[in-house]
C-alpha cells in the first residue's frame, strides 16, 4: 500500500512540475508585437481628496506585428484601468487610462496588470498621497503630476 501511494505521489509531483513549467514559460517572438511604455510608474504626488484621479500610461508597439491588449486589471476596486480595444499596428502609439479613487485619504501604491499578445504581463504602478479636503475648499491637484522613470 505504501508503495502505491509513493508511486501516485511521484506521478502527481512530476505532472505538477511539468504543468507549471509549461504554464509560466512565455516564448517572445522576435518578429511579433512588442510593447514599450514611456514609463511604468506614475507618481500623482500629493493631491487633495476628490481631485481628478485620471492618468495615462503611453506606449508604442515597437514590434513587427499587430499588438492586441487582451486585458488590464487593477489591483483593487479603487484602481480602474481602461485598455485600448483596437489593434495597435507596428510603430503606432496608444495609452492605458487609469483612474484612482481619490476619495480615499492617505498614501497609496497600486498596480495594473497588462496582458497582451507581446508576451509576459506588464505591471504598471501608480502612487501618491491623498490629503483630506478641508471644509470650504475646492479639490485641486499639485501642478503637473510627475511621471517617474522606469
Amino acid at each position: 500500500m505504501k508503495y502505491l501511494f509513493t508511486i501516485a505521489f511521484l506521478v502527481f509531483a512530476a505532472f505538477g512540475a511539468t504543468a507549471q513549467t509549461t504554464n509560466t514559460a512565455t516564448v517572445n517572438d522576435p518578429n511579433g508585437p512588442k510593447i514599450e511604455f514611456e514609463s511604468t510608474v506614475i507618481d500623482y504626488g500629493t493631491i487633495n481628496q476628490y481631485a481628478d484621479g485620471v492618468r495615462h500610461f503611453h506606449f508604442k508597439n515597437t514590434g513587427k506585428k499587430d499588438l492586441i491588449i487582451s486585458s488590464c486589471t487593477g489591483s483593487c476596486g479603487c484602481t480602474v484601468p481602461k485598455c485600448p480595444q483596437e489593434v495597435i499596428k507596428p510603430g503606432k502609439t496608444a495609452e492605458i487610462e487609469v483612474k484612482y479613487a481619490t476619495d480615499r485619504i492617505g498614501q497609496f501604491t497600486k498596480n495594473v496588470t497588462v496582458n497582451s499578445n507581446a508576451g509576459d504581463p506588464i505591471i504598471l504602478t501608480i502612487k501618491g498621497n491623498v490629503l483630506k479636503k478641508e471644509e470650504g475648499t475646492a479639490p485641486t491637484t499639485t501642478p503637473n503630476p510627475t511621471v517617474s522613470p522606469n
Side-chain angles (χ1 to χ4, degrees), residues 42-120:
I42 292 180
D43 187 345
Y44 283 56
T46 300
I47 59 176
N48 287 334
Q49 187 179 18
Y50 308 115
D52 181 15
V54 175
R55 301 293 186 273
H56 298 92
F57 287 94
H58 299 274
F59 65 92
K60 183 175 186 176
N61 178 2
T62 59
K64 297 178 181 176
K65 292 185 181 172
D66 291 351
L67 173 67
I68 300 169
I69 306 292
S70 55
S71 68
C72 296
T73 309
S75 57
C76 73
C78 62
T79 306
V80 181
K82 285 186 185 175
C83 295
Q85 299 299 308
E86 66 280 353
V87 170
I88 296 95
K89 298 285 185 188
K92 298 298 179 181
T93 60
E95 64 184 27
I96 294 173
E97 179 182 288
V98 178
K99 182 174 183 176
Y100 178 71
T102 59
D103 58 333
R104 299 164 185 246
I105 298 171
Q107 292 187 338
F108 65 91
T109 300
K110 303 295 178 184
N111 295 320
V112 172
T113 303
V114 179
N115 292 294
S116 73
N117 63 337
D120 294 332

Side-chain angles (χ1 to χ4, degrees), residues 24-43:
T24 58
T26 301
V27 178
N28 293 325
D29 179 2
N31 294 315
K34 185 175 180 187
I35 187 169
E36 287 191 21
F37 284 86
E38 287 180 6
S39 177
T40 58
V41 177
I42 292 180
D43 187 345

Side-chain angles (χ1 to χ4, degrees), residues 123-138:
I123 306 296
L124 305 175
T125 302
I126 61 170
K127 62 182 181 175
N129 186 26
V130 179
L131 298 178
K132 185 174 183 175
K133 180 184 174 216
E134 296 178 27
E135 291 293 321
T137 61

